[in-house]
């Protein structure tokens, strides 16, 4: 099974002590799920006991890999000029931990979608693959994804799983989540549910959330009203503008708002306050993402929490599976409804 340990510890020493092959040790220390969790933990413990560290230079020479992943943030409009969506920024920690647990280095870069960013990384051998966060209008972004696919670039991205044919996308069950939000609002006695956010092919995640809400309405015997949908990108100002536009249309106002993101929801709450409408007494409001600011609004925002910690792990594992030409993990992650004060008032109907 190998040789007894001598001198500076090597992966062969770990293999000898663990009773496994040296390739199994290498896969285990990379976090490869093909190795059982019990075996991975036993190997990691032996490595710790021996004060073993991976010789990245030797490993790279053998595999022709840099053992580095590039994480690219794409600019999103934000009020603080950071140009990074806070939901994606919150995902950074989980991606960093997932890389560290596999002995991988992480390059982090901020990019504009129109730049030739792929040339700086895999094509120049600075990174083995890319993780992409943020994209804006998907119809424009899709062209770049197809280009990456044609040139053989390894990548994983966060987005709409249903709109992706490359197998490189990790995301939430947006339809199911939208349905849950719709069911929650209906259970509070709400009947005129409005949706703030694009609901077409330009923003497929938003579109799936809207369709899920509509399904909940239909199942409750309520016909969705297309006039209660207003386009908005993921900013507070866009949410405020969409809410004001919806109120200006006249007719019977909505009694509940489902915003495609928390930032849109926060902007909508500002607009409702300006219009003299109480949340949740007059209009209930729910968002999506559970960013840190969601619990700090007045009242605190009901929202759909996405699995940020699981997202980082899943993105890294999906990318490694593509690099190593093996099957990847399940692309969809679960969501959880976080009920707070913004939807807390039950209406009486009669």
């Amino acid at each position: 099974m190998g040789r007894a340990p001598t001198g500076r510890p090597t992966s062969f020493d770990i293999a000898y002590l663990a009773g496994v092959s040296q390739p199994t040790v290498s896969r285990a220390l990379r976090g490869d799920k093909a190795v059982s969790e019990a075996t991975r933990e036993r190997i990691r413990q032996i490595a710790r006991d021996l004060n073993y560290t991976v010789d990245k230079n030797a490993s790279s020479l053998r595999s022709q890999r840099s053992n580095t992943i590039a994480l690219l943030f794409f600019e999103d409009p934000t009020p603080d000029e950071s140009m990074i969506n806070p939901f994606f920024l919150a995902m950074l920690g989980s991606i960093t931990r997932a890389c560290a647990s596999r002995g991988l280095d992480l390059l982090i870069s901020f990019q504009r979608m129109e730049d030739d960013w792929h040339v700086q990384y895999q094509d120049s051998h600075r990174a083995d693959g890319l993780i992409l966060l943020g994209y804006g209008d998907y119809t424009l972004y899709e062209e770049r994804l197809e280009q990456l696919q044609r040139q053989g670039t390894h990548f994983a991205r966060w987005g709409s799983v249903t709109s992706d044919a490359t197998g490189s996308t990790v995301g939430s069950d947006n339809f199911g989540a939208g349905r849950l939000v719709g069911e929650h609002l209906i259970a509070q006695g709400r009947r005129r549910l409005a949706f703030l956010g694009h609901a077409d092919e330009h923003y497929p995640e938003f579109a799936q959330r809207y369709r899920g809400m509509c399904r909940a309405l239909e199942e409750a015997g309520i016909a969705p009203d297309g006039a209660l949908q207003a386009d908005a990108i993921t900013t507070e100002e866009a949410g405020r503008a969409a809410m004001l536009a919806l109120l200006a249309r006249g007719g019977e106002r909505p009694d509940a708002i489902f915003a495609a993101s928390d930032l849109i929801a926060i902007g909508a709450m500002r607009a409702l306050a300006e219009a003299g409408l109480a949340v949740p007494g007059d209009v209930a409001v729910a968002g999506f993402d559970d960013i840190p600011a969601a619990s700090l609004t007045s009242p605190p925002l009901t929202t759909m929490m996405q699995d940020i910690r699981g997202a980082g792990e899943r993105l890294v594992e999906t990318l490694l599976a593509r690099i190593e030409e093996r099957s990847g993990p399940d692309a969809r992650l679960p969501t959880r409804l976080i009920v707070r004060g913004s939807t807390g008032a039950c209406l009486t109907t009669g």
Side-chain angles (χ1 to χ4, degrees):
M1 186 61 70
R3 55 185 175 80
T6 58
R8 181 184 175 188
T10 70
S11 59
F12 290 95
D13 297 330
I14 297 172
Y16 175 82
L17 293 171
V20 299
S21 66
Q22 188 275 335
T24 298
V25 170
S26 296
R27 289 196 299 272
L29 294 177
R30 288 201 309 268
D32 190 336
K33 296 296 178 63
V35 181
S36 72
E37 174 59 32
T39 301
R40 277 183 282 140
E41 181 52 37
R42 186 168 79 253
I43 288 170
R44 285 193 293 261
Q45 185 58 55
I46 293 171
R48 287 192 291 269
D49 292 344
L50 295 178
N51 292 319
Y52 172 81
T53 57
V54 176
D55 185 341
K56 292 185 177 180
N57 290 331
S59 176
S60 298
L61 286 172
R62 287 193 300 270
S63 65
Q64 297 300 303
R65 283 170 52 178
S66 66
N67 291 316
T68 299
I69 286 174
L71 170 61
L72 309 189
F73 286 102
F74 293 101
E75 63 181 25
D76 275 321
T78 55
D80 61 0
E81 298 184 356
S82 68
M83 303 300 283
I84 299 178
N85 185 313
F87 170 70
F88 293 127
L89 193 58
M91 204 180 285
L92 175 60
S94 66
I95 293 173
T96 302
R97 284 191 296 272
C99 288
S101 70
R102 292 164 171 80
L104 299 171
D105 290 327
L106 183 67
L107 290 174
I108 302 173
S109 180
F110 180 75
Q111 300 288 332
R112 295 184 304 169
M113 183 55 65
E114 60 268 26
D115 293 340
D116 291 330
W117 34 268
H118 60 280
V119 176
Q120 304 175 45
Y121 295 97
Q122 185 171 327
D123 292 3
S124 62
H125 305 291
R126 290 177 63 192
D128 300 318
L130 314 175
I131 292 178
L132 314 176
L133 297 180
Y135 55 86
D137 187 333
Y138 183 73
T139 58
L140 303 176
Y141 182 55
E142 188 175 23
E143 297 175 8
R144 301 305 301 273
L145 297 182
E146 292 172 351
Q147 179 185 354
L148 292 176
Q149 188 81 352
R150 285 194 301 271
Q151 66 192 34
T153 300
H154 302 123
F155 68 93
R157 58 175 288 268
W158 179 269
S160 171
V161 176
T162 56
S163 64
D164 174 50
T166 67
S168 61
T169 300
V170 172
S172 295
D173 177 7
N174 290 288
F175 179 87
R179 188 175 180 178
L180 282 175
V181 173
E183 290 171 350
H184 168 69
L185 293 171
I186 293 166
Q188 305 308 306
R190 314 291 170 159
R191 292 296 179 268
R192 289 184 56 75
L193 274 57
F195 183 83
L196 302 186
H198 287 268
D200 55 26
E201 71 278 5
H202 294 274
Y203 293 84
E205 290 176 283
F206 288 6
Q208 286 293 313
R209 293 167 195 174
Y210 176 61
R211 290 173 192 140
M213 185 197 79
C214 290
R215 176 65 60 83
L217 285 167
E218 292 163 352
E219 290 175 344
I222 305 169
D225 185 350
L228 294 179
Q229 184 272 325
D231 290 345
I233 60 172
T234 304
T235 67
E236 288 185 35
E237 189 52 44
R240 176 180 174 274
M243 187 72 251
L244 291 174
L246 202 60
L247 293 173
R249 291 177 186 176
E252 189 178 358
R253 64 168 170 77
D255 58 17
I257 301 296
F258 176 25
S261 76
D262 288 344
L263 289 175
I264 294 173
I266 292 168
M269 291 172 73
R270 283 175 47 207
L272 289 168
E274 291 169 16
L277 295 170
V279 176
D282 296 316
V283 183
V285 179
F288 205 104
D289 289 336
D290 195 29
I291 63 174
S295 63
L296 303 177
T297 59
S298 181
L301 180 64
T302 290
T303 186
M304 187 60 72
M305 183 177 73
Q306 303 194 79
D307 185 0
I308 291 177
R309 184 177 182 87
E313 179 75 24
R314 200 70 59 90
L315 282 163
V316 172
E317 184 60 26
T318 297
L319 178 56
L320 290 177
R322 294 181 68 81
I323 292 170
E324 296 166 5
E325 299 181 342
R326 54 180 172 82
S327 59
D330 186 3
R332 282 189 175 85
L333 287 163
T335 55
R336 183 161 66 94
L337 182 66
I338 307 297
V339 178
R340 299 191 179 107
S342 67
T343 60
C346 292
L347 298 184
T348 57
T349 59

